Amino acid sequence: MKKLLITLLAAASLVSVNVNAQEKAGGTTATGSTIGGVAASTVAAGAAAAAIAAALVANSSGTADPIDPVEPEATCSGTDELADGVCIGTTVTVTQTGTMGATITVPVTFTYAPTYQ
């Protein structure tokens, strides 16, 4: 609709600024083309103004449905809990390599920021 309004405005400005020199033979009066006693340029400018007014009315009566924003979902790693926007982990597994390899679970508490999807 905005493109139509801009096009009509451009057309109206071209019509209203359009000036022609009309030459007549010596001794005769120069008159422009008329429609029922009204100059053709005045009729064209009035038609363009009416088209612009119709476009404004048509454009102003539209409504748009509001779009609900999508909230990203926070996720934590593994079985860690999400509390007050922070992930809380409670255990760390440590694996030792070498000749005496062993896996140990250490009870600790740590926090980190969740990932958002």
Side-chain angles (χ1 to χ4, degrees):
M1 185 55 74
K2 289 181 182 179
K3 290 179 183 179
L4 175 64
L5 181 62
I6 291 170
T7 304
L8 290 174
L9 183 62
S13 66
L14 291 175
V15 169
S16 64
V17 176
N18 190 8
V19 176
N20 295 346
Q22 297 183 7
E23 296 181 19
K24 292 282 188 175
T28 61
T29 59
T31 59
S33 60
T34 60
I35 300 171
V38 179
S41 61
T42 305
V43 172
I52 290 172
L56 286 171
V57 169
N59 193 29
S60 67
S61 63
T63 58
D65 295 332
I67 299 173
D68 293 331
V70 177
E71 294 293 327
E73 184 178 333
T75 57
C76 298
S77 299
T79 59
D80 296 343
E81 289 184 42
L82 178 65
D84 295 326
V86 178
C87 294
I88 301 173
T90 55
T91 57
V92 175
T93 302
V94 178
T95 303
Q96 177 187 6
T97 58
T99 58
M100 301 283 294
T103 301
I104 317 167
T105 301
V106 181
V108 295
T109 301
F110 58 93
T111 60
Y112 59 96
T115 56
Y116 290 93
Q117 299 176 355

